């Protein structure tokens, strides 16, 4: 966990904003996001929830959008010191361009959802022992 | 030894009679000699020589007489009266074998062409089935009986026309499997590995026993007319069950390629067909061995299970070893790039053959080899070699597939048949239906529709037929009946299921494959999610497959990549590599764009006369071109990428791009955007076009003072430029460029030479020039540039 690039984000996701401790219900609530979906009917709802959780991890200041700076931070933490600042910039630029449909230079939740529509979120974000 | 002499005398006119005998010897003792890469070609020729049809009427009887004639002619030479010198002679036997091989391949390819044109109008029939139909109709059935003794009089040995099992397994099957394995999408495969294994192992076992047992039962319950069916024992039935239960990768590939089904289903059926080879091999050998004995004890079953593990894991291990060897070799090929593709092919083929030596699963070895070596080899070899590998694999597998189906058709029309209604119908009905049980274990359930498609997609094919063919007639008197049944099943599945699966897919509205390319967003988010899941699993304390995948990745990055990837690329993170690949692809498509830019610039000469609609169009064109070029060029930062003299030019363009960002902002804000000079969108494309060494197509535009134009001279890789920063780059570039050697300079200097294997189009030229990154020996900057 210490080596995980987004470890600190994950941990802070368990804590509600402003609180220093996490109690068991909130812990369970967060983990419940990773339950595998059972029926087809609940699929959309569960997919939404999972995506929203992931979105919150990007969007640290909780303004509902992933700004360029936030994206850069994530990229920086994932790629570390192996790439130059310029490369990071261009990747972030490219990512925003591809996803940003309303041209506001940030990725909203809907745009985030749309860019991941081909990815099998239900399978990726499920831990099967959490049934 | 006669084999060696025949090998040596291949170039010489040799009576095919002698050669065929030599071949027979060679192939009855397969383990004796080692087939090297050069022997491969020889192998193909000799095998085909042995089993080839002579449709052109030239029978073998002239062979012996030809032999005799030769000697007679030699003896008579001395009292030979001089005739006129023969200006034109006909000597078919000289080139007989290669000629026939080429003819077959040509026929196969022409059929493929014909089918395409026919399909454009009919659009119903999958290509492989029509090839079977064609050959069944067209080929002259020249059955002269398959006698064994006195075999040199007829062209047929123990095999039916052309489909010699060894030919099939050694020459026709490997290209298809290697193609499949090399381009196997690893991520979906690994994610669904549990399901795939379950289908492959448990499913096939279940199918084999069930079909075999049921067939035996059916054969026994025919009290009314005691037919020959009663004579079939349990073991041959089980053997038949094991042959027929295996889903065939060739057929699956052929049919599923056409229907564009969604990735999940595709990988499930396809993965199952690949992995069940191990099961098939073990079951086949097990039952074949013990059919002689008649009984199978518990010990034998136990040994069978162990044997299965050995076969499967051993096959994969052999493949992985060869894959790593290939990756390691490719690390050193930076100076001899032309033979890079050869390493890929030969190592893979050796993996296959080595696995076959020990009766391990050759298919699994091939898959493992291809999948293992791909990430490392692709990081090492040049872009040209990569293209070569891709196209050669596709070409070989395509021809192989067509040939297989043609031969299958010929064998149908021609082979020894023994029809038995009950047997055949029951077999056909039983094939393929087990997905319900497996569904319980999946995380994401398959819908009923999906299950049905998976069951429906279980095609049987040529592998089943060849395995049936290899059965010894003495031990299995029912062999002909088996063969008939196998052929019927193959035809049924391929024709009926293959043809109807496409309308069925549409009818059931199964999700189709998403055609679009993977975007960088997906890549970023997928990696992010991987990290997220690993973290969550850590918190839970549950070591799921994310955890192990993460560990494997770390191990890979730390040790393996350093060994196997040459130079700088070993440190490149996956995201960056992906990003570069995408940019590169886009850059290749870029030169197709310039024509739109041209009318744009012309339009800007007369700003006031343009209507609003045209303005919008131009604006869009400008913006899209600007965006692309900016992103394209920015990625090639000199500090992290390997040196390439051309890239120095891009270092200059990097500065330029920053100016263009500002320009674009200006475009957005400005009302009268049409006064923006035309030079910026043009010059990068112009420069690129220049780099692609076609000086006549574009001329330098007059510079505006805001943007420096670059004139890249063909004679030198560096561009003279007035900006100070550029000088730095240039100097650094000179150091590197000088050491790089004249060969790259030469590449630039000879713009129109097509000797590099590219075709003459502009985009391809661009590819050629940019294509050869490769590790450079004198790369000086190792650490990234920190601002």
């Amino acid at each position: 966990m210490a080596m995980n690039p987004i470890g600190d984000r994950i941990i802070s996701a368990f804590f509600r904003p402003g609180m220093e401790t996490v109690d068991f219900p909130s812990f369970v609530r967060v983990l419940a996001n990773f339950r595998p979906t059972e029926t087809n009917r609940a699929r959309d709802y569960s997919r939404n929830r999972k995506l929203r959780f992931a979105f919150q991890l990007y969007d640290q200041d909780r303004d509902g959008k992933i700004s360029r700076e936030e994206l850069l931070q994530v990229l920086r933490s994932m790629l570390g010191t192996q790439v130059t600042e310029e490369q990071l910039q261009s990747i972030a630029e490219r990512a925003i361009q591809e996803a940003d449909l309303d041209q506001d230079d940030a990725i909203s939740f809907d745009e985030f959802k749309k860019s991941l529509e081909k990815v099998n979120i239900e399978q990726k974000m499920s831990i099967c022992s959490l049934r | 030894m006669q084999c060696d002499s025949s090998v040596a005398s291949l170039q010489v006119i040799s009576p095919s009679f002698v050669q065929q005998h030599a071949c027979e010897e060679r192939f009855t003792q397969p383990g004796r000699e080692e087939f090297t890469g050069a022997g491969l070609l020889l192998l193909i020729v000799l095998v085909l020589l042995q089993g080839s049809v002579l449709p052109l009427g030239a029978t073998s009887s002239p062979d012996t007489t030809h032999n005799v004639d030769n000697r007679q002619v030699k003896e008579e030479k001395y009292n030979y009266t001089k005739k006129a010198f023969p200006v034109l002679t006909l000597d078919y036997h000289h080139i007989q074998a290669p000629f026939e091989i080429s003819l077959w391949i040509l026929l196969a390819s022409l059929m493929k062409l014909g089918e395409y044109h026919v399909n454009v109008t009919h659009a119903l029939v999958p290509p492989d089935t029509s090839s079977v139909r064609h050959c069944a109709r067209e080929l002259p059935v020249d059955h002269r009986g398959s006698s064994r003794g006195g075999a040199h009089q007829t062209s047929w040995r123990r095999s039916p026309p052309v489909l010699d099992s060894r030919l099939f397994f050694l020459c026709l099957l490997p290209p298809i499997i290697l193609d499949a394995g090399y381009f196997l999408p690893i991520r979906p495969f690994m994610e669904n590995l549990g399901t795939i294994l379950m289908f492959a192992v448990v499913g096939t076992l279940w199918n084999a026993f069930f079909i075999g047992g049921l067939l035996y039962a059916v054969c026994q319950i025919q009290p009314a007319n005691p037919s020959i069916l009663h004579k079939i024992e349990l073991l041959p039935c089980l053997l038949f069950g094991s042959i027929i239960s295996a889903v065939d990768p060739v057929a699956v590939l052929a049919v599923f390629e056409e229907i564009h089904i969604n990735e999940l289903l595709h990988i499930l059926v396809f993965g199952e067909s690949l992995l069940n080879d191990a099961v098939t091999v073990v079951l086949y050998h097990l039952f074949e061995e013990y059919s002689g004995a008649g009984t199978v004890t518990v010990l034998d079953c136990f040994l069978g299970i162990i044997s299965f593990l050995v076969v499967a894991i051993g096959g994969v291990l052999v493949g992985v070893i060869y894959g790593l060897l290939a990756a390691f070799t490719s690390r050193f090929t930076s100076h001899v790039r032309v033979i890079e593709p050869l390493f890929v092919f030969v190592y893979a083929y050796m993996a296959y053959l080595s696995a076959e030596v020990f009766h391990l699963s050759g298919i699994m070895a091939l898959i493992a080899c291809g999948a293992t070596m791909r990430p490392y080899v692709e990081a090492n070899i040049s872009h040209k070699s990569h293209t070569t590998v891709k196209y050669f694999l596709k070409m070989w597998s395509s021809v192989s597939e067509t040939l297989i189906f043609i031969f299958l058709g010929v064998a149908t029309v021609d082979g020894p048949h023994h029809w038995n209604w009950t047997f055949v119908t029951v077999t056909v009905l039983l094939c393929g239906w087990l997905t319900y049980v497996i569904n319980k274990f999946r995380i994401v359930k398959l819908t009923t529709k999906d299950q049905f498609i998976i069951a429906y997609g279980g095609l049987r094919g040529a592998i089943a037929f060849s395995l049936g063919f290899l059965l010894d007639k003495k031990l299995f008197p029912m062999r002909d009946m088996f063969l008939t049944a196998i052929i019927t099943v193959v035809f049924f599945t391929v024709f009926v299921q293959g043809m109807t699966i496409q309308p069925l897919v549409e009818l059931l509205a199964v999700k189709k494959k998403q055609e679009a390319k993977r975007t960088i967003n997906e890549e970023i988010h997928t990696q992010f999610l991987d990290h997220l899941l690993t973290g969550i699993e850590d918190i839970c304390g549950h070591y799921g497959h994310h955890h192990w995948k993460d560990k494997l990745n770390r191990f890979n990055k730390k040790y393996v990549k350093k060994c196997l990837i040459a130079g700088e690329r070993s440190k490149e993170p996956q995201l960056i590599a992906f990003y570069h690949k995408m940019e590169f692809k886009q850059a290749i498509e870029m030169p197709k764009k310039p024509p739109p830019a041209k009318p744009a610039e012309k339009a800007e000469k007369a700003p006031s006369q343009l209507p609003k609609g045209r303005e919008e169009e131009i604006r869009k064109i400008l913006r899209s071109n600007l965006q692309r070029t900016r992103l394209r060029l920015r990625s090639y930062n000199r500090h992290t990428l390997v040196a390439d003299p051309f890239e120095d030019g891009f270092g200059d363009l990097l500065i330029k791009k920053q100016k263009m960002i500002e320009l674009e902002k200006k475009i957005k804000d400005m009302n009268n955007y049409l006064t923006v000079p035309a030079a910026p969108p043009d010059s990068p494309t112009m420069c690129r076009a220049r780099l692609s060494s076609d000086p006549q197509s574009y001329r330098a535009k007059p510079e505006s003072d805001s943007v420096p134009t670059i004139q890249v001279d063909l004679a030198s890789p560096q561009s003279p430029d007035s900006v100070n920063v550029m000088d730095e780059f240039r100097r650094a570039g000179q150091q590197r460029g000088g050491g790089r050697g004249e060969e790259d300079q030469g590449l630039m200097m000879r713009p129109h030479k097509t000797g590099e294997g590219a075709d003459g189009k502009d985009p391809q030229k661009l590819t050629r020039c940019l294509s050869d990154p490769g590790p450079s020996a004198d790369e000086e900057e190792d650490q990234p540039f920190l601002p």
Side-chain angles (χ1 to χ4, degrees):
Chain A
M1 189 64 173
M3 291 197 295
N4 198 323
I6 55 171
D8 49 349
R9 284 176 188 249
I10 298 176
I11 298 204
S12 60
F14 280 90
F15 294 83
R16 296 215 148 278
M19 290 184 38
E20 286 296 313
T21 56
V22 60
D23 56 353
F24 189 68
S26 348
F27 183 75
V28 170
R29 209 167 291 137
V30 170
L31 278 186
N33 279 318
F34 291 95
R35 286 183 72 192
T37 42
E38 310 254 338
T39 62
N40 288 341
R41 271 170 295 141
R43 200 172 264 199
D44 277 335
Y45 171 68
S46 135
R47 184 188 167 95
N48 229 14
R49 242 182 35 185
K50 293 184 202 279
L51 281 172
R52 196 159 267 290
F53 183 73
F55 189 77
Q56 271 166 10
L57 284 175
Y58 276 102
D59 185 21
Q60 296 287 63
D61 57 1
R62 302 192 189 245
D63 61 352
K65 290 185 185 296
I66 304 177
S67 69
R68 187 177 306 220
E69 192 47 48
E70 285 167 342
L71 192 62
L72 267 178
Q73 269 174 15
V74 169
L75 282 175
R76 216 171 280 139
S77 58
M78 281 209 296
L79 297 172
T81 52
Q82 297 156 4
V83 290
T84 71
E85 192 59 34
E86 279 157 348
Q87 280 186 322
L88 283 179
Q89 293 268 1
S90 46
I91 292 180
E93 181 64 44
R94 172 96 193 217
I96 289 190
Q97 241 164 34
E98 271 178 6
D100 196 14
L101 301 167
D102 53 3
Q103 310 291 339
D104 59 352
D105 223 23
I107 305 179
S108 71
F109 179 62
D110 289 319
E111 290 160 357
F112 181 71
K113 211 164 64 161
K114 190 161 196 328
S115 69
L116 283 178
E117 62 187 356
K118 293 180 204 134
V119 178
N120 194 352
I121 297 286
E122 297 91 337
Q123 194 178 14
K124 267 203 97 48
M125 280 184 70
S126 301
I127 303 181
C128 48
S129 62
L130 282 184
R131 195 160 309 224
Chain B
M1 191 180 146
Q2 211 169 10
C3 281
D4 295 326
S5 67
S6 70
V7 162
S9 66
L10 192 61
Q11 299 89 352
V12 181
I13 304 171
S14 52
S16 20
F17 170 72
V18 170
Q19 222 170 11
Q20 277 158 354
H21 262 292
C23 301
E24 282 187 49
E25 268 189 61
R26 185 184 261 260
F27 284 109
T28 45
Q29 298 135 8
R32 259 221 207 165
E33 286 167 337
E34 218 179 343
F35 297 122
T36 63
L40 166 64
L41 187 58
L42 213 51
L43 195 88
I44 296 177
V45 173
L46 291 177
V47 166
L48 281 176
L49 197 62
Q50 175 184 349
S52 65
V53 179
L54 302 176
L56 299 184
T59 66
S60 327
S61 43
D63 285 352
T64 46
T65 55
H66 180 73
N67 199 5
V68 173
D69 273 342
N70 257 346
R71 277 188 240 117
Q72 278 180 359
V73 163
K74 280 201 204 108
E75 284 158 9
E76 293 173 3
K77 208 165 81 164
Y78 300 114
N79 29 356
Y80 201 70
T81 51
K82 187 169 178 200
K83 278 205 304 212
F85 187 72
V87 177
L88 196 65
T89 52
L90 184 70
D91 193 1
Y92 180 64
H93 299 286
H94 183 41
I95 47 98
Q96 177 180 341
F99 189 78
E100 277 162 14
I101 297 170
S102 316
L103 203 65
W104 275 109
I105 296 181
L106 193 62
L107 201 68
S109 318
L110 286 174
M111 268 191 206
K112 236 183 158 61
L113 269 184
E115 284 151 28
Y116 175 73
H117 286 287
V118 165
N119 271 355
V120 167
T121 53
H122 293 303
L124 178 60
V125 180
D128 54 306
T129 62
S130 39
S131 75
V132 175
R133 276 204 331 250
H134 281 228
C135 64
R137 245 186 286 139
E138 288 169 12
L139 285 174
V141 178
D142 204 3
H143 182 66
R144 272 177 268 179
S146 47
S147 53
R148 206 183 281 223
H152 60 274
Q153 284 305 323
T154 67
S155 55
W156 299 32
R157 298 291 163 279
R158 299 142 288 199
S159 45
V162 204
L163 188 63
D164 184 11
S165 282
R166 288 209 170 80
L167 166 66
F168 174 75
F169 278 112
L170 290 177
C171 301
L172 292 180
L173 190 62
I176 301 179
I177 304 295
L178 181 59
D179 179 38
Y182 194 77
F183 293 107
L184 193 69
I186 295 283
R187 195 177 264 266
F189 188 74
M190 286 303 169
E191 281 173 9
N192 293 305
L193 192 62
T195 318
I196 292 177
L197 274 177
M198 188 73 93
F199 271 126
V201 177
V202 174
T204 314
L205 271 177
W206 165 259
N207 262 345
F209 280 103
F210 191 72
I211 293 178
L214 214 61
L215 270 176
Y216 181 65
V218 164
C219 289
Q220 293 300 98
I221 49 163
Q222 282 228 337
N225 38 349
S227 60
I228 41 174
L229 287 180
H230 280 266
K231 289 202 222 115
I232 307 177
E233 301 163 23
L234 182 61
L235 274 176
C237 273
L238 285 178
L239 179 61
F240 180 73
S242 73
I243 295 177
I244 204 79
S245 65
V247 178
D248 188 72
V250 178
V252 163
L253 260 179
V255 169
F256 269 57
E257 286 253 314
E258 307 291 316
I259 63 176
H260 296 302
I261 206 169
N262 70 334
E263 205 179 57
L264 176 65
L265 286 183
H266 183 107
I267 199 75
L268 279 179
V269 181
F270 184 58
E272 180 205 345
S273 68
L274 289 176
L275 293 184
N276 66 17
D277 180 61
V279 181
T280 310
V281 163
V282 170
L283 279 181
Y284 182 78
H285 284 129
L286 188 71
F287 290 134
E288 197 186 18
E289 279 289 316
Y290 293 115
S291 303
T295 55
V296 178
T297 65
V298 176
L299 181 65
D300 296 330
C301 285
F302 188 61
L303 284 178
I305 295 176
I306 296 192
S307 159
F308 164 70
L309 287 173
V310 166
V311 162
I313 298 181
V316 170
L317 216 65
V318 167
V320 167
I321 291 176
Y322 272 99
L324 292 176
L325 271 177
F328 191 65
T329 316
S330 70
R331 185 182 167 184
F332 302 108
T333 58
S334 47
H335 298 289
V336 197
R337 294 225 176 248
V338 273
I339 58 172
E340 273 169 349
L342 195 64
F343 281 120
V344 171
F345 300 139
V346 173
Y347 271 112
Y349 194 62
M350 295 277 283
Y352 180 74
L353 292 176
S354 312
E356 289 289 328
V357 165
F358 299 105
H359 275 302
L360 302 174
S361 168
I363 291 185
M364 291 184 85
L366 260 184
I367 304 279
C369 183
T372 317
M373 73 168 138
R374 184 175 179 202
Y376 308 112
V377 161
E378 285 202 348
N380 279 333
I381 65 179
S382 70
H383 185 74
K384 277 178 278 180
S385 301
H386 172 71
T387 314
T388 310
V389 166
K390 187 165 88 160
Y391 278 106
F392 259 91
L393 280 179
K394 296 282 176 208
M395 179 187 83
W396 270 331
S397 69
S398 163
V399 169
S400 264
E401 195 181 297
T402 316
L403 275 176
I404 286 179
F405 280 108
I406 290 181
F407 294 165
L408 204 60
V410 170
T412 312
V413 177
D414 245 10
H417 283 316
H418 188 118
W419 184 264
N420 190 299
W421 274 107
T422 340
F423 197 70
V424 172
T425 1
V426 172
T427 316
V428 167
L429 283 173
L430 285 180
C431 278
W433 63 273
L434 164 96
T435 50
Y436 179 64
V437 175
I438 294 180
N439 207 26
K440 289 209 171 20
F441 298 101
R442 281 184 55 85
I443 298 181
V444 178
K445 301 293 183 214
L446 296 172
T447 65
T448 327
K449 276 191 297 193
D450 293 343
Q451 290 178 38
F452 183 67
I453 294 288
I454 291 181
Y456 208 72
L459 306 176
R460 272 69 176 172
I463 293 187
F465 181 72
S466 314
L467 281 178
F469 211 80
L470 281 175
L471 290 176
D472 193 352
K473 200 152 169 94
K474 291 197 289 278
L475 288 179
F476 298 96
M478 296 293 126
R479 179 172 163 270
D480 294 335
M481 199 168 70
F482 285 174
L483 275 181
T484 318
I486 292 177
I487 290 189
T488 318
V489 169
V490 167
F491 266 77
F492 177 76
T493 54
V494 168
F495 271 102
V496 175
Q497 282 178 239
M499 279 202 280
T500 55
I501 202 170
Q502 166 83 319
L504 207 67
V505 160
E506 283 169 18
L507 190 70
L508 294 180
V510 177
K511 266 197 301 183
K512 291 218 148 184
K513 181 155 80 166
Q514 318 281 359
E515 284 296 342
K517 305 182 278 264
R518 211 168 147 85
T519 65
I520 191 148
N521 264 309
E522 282 179 14
E523 185 70 24
I524 295 178
H525 297 318
T526 320
Q527 272 205 7
F528 184 82
L529 287 177
D530 275 341
H531 286 304
L532 171 64
L533 261 291
T534 315
I536 296 282
E537 279 180 1
D538 265 347
I539 292 180
C540 295
H542 159 82
Y543 288 130
H545 76 272
H546 281 103
H547 180 90
W548 296 117
K549 204 156 71 157
D550 196 48
K551 270 205 151 67
L552 184 68
N553 273 339
R554 276 186 216 283
F555 173 70
N556 195 15
K557 204 185 291 193
K558 209 160 161 211
Y559 299 112
V560 182
K561 274 194 181 168
K562 286 227 177 82
C563 275
L564 296 179
I565 300 184
E568 187 65 12
R569 302 286 292 266
S570 62
K571 300 206 194 78
E572 208 175 47
Q574 180 196 351
L575 196 58
I576 299 292
F578 177 77
Y579 179 65
H580 286 155
K581 227 191 285 187
M582 263 202 345
E583 294 289 324
F584 191 67
K585 268 192 218 142
Q586 226 174 29
I588 294 177
E589 289 160 26
M590 245 324 266
K592 294 183 190 144
K593 294 285 180 181
K598 266 190 178 163
E601 66 187 327
K602 287 208 191 86
E604 282 163 35
K605 299 269 172 43
S608 46
Q609 285 112 13
L610 283 174
K612 266 288 177 194
R614 190 102 173 91
E615 286 176 8
E616 261 311 309
E617 201 181 271
I618 294 168
R619 191 179 198 188
K620 235 191 306 184
I621 289 171
L622 273 181
R623 179 175 298 157
S624 62
N625 276 336
L626 280 177
Q627 286 173 352
R628 292 234 177 102
T629 54
R630 170 185 66 206
L631 290 173
R632 159 78 183 93
L633 297 163
R634 252 183 137 168
S635 66
Y636 278 78
N637 183 301
R638 72 177 180 110
H639 297 287
T640 50
L641 272 203
V642 264
D644 187 300
F646 273 113
E647 312 264 77
D648 299 348
F650 289 122
D652 310 336
L653 291 167
L654 196 88
I655 304 297
K656 203 173 160 24
K657 289 321 117 207
Q658 283 173 352
K659 307 258 168 133
M660 284 212 299
I661 301 171
E662 294 156 28
L663 258 175
E664 206 213 27
K665 291 210 174 69
K666 261 197 265 174
I667 290 177
K668 277 190 198 165
D669 303 331
M670 264 163 45
N671 288 335
N672 201 8
Y673 61 91
L674 286 175
T675 57
V676 168
D682 232 34
S683 10
T685 49
M686 241 173 36
C687 289
R688 198 167 295 120
R690 276 166 162 260
L691 289 174
S692 74
S693 57
D694 198 357
Q696 284 85 25
S697 52
Y698 297 102
R699 301 224 351 109
K701 303 299 293 177
E703 313 87 346
S704 66
D705 44 10
S706 62
V707 174
T709 48
I710 312 272
Q711 288 164 14
V712 179
D713 203 340
L714 282 180
S716 68
Q718 297 82 23
S719 58
D721 209 291
S722 51
V723 181
N724 270 340
V725 188
M726 306 290 205
D727 283 340
E728 228 181 78
F729 282 20
R730 187 172 35 140
R731 253 180 274 123
Q734 266 167 354
Q735 290 172 345
R736 255 178 303 144
R740 188 81 172 137
E742 271 61 46
E743 47 161 359
D744 293 309
Q745 295 245 347
L747 223 139
M748 293 182 276
M749 299 281 272
R750 287 175 268 131
H752 298 290
K753 209 165 209 140
T754 48
E756 293 291 336
D759 45 21
K761 295 195 229 115
D762 254 342
Q764 299 300 324
K765 277 190 197 163
L766 174 64
T767 315
R768 189 158 32 109
C769 296
L770 291 175
S771 71
D772 207 30
S776 159
D778 41 28
E779 163 80 349
E780 60 211 8
E781 304 255 354
D782 269 341
Q783 50 275 39
F785 173 70
L786 293 170

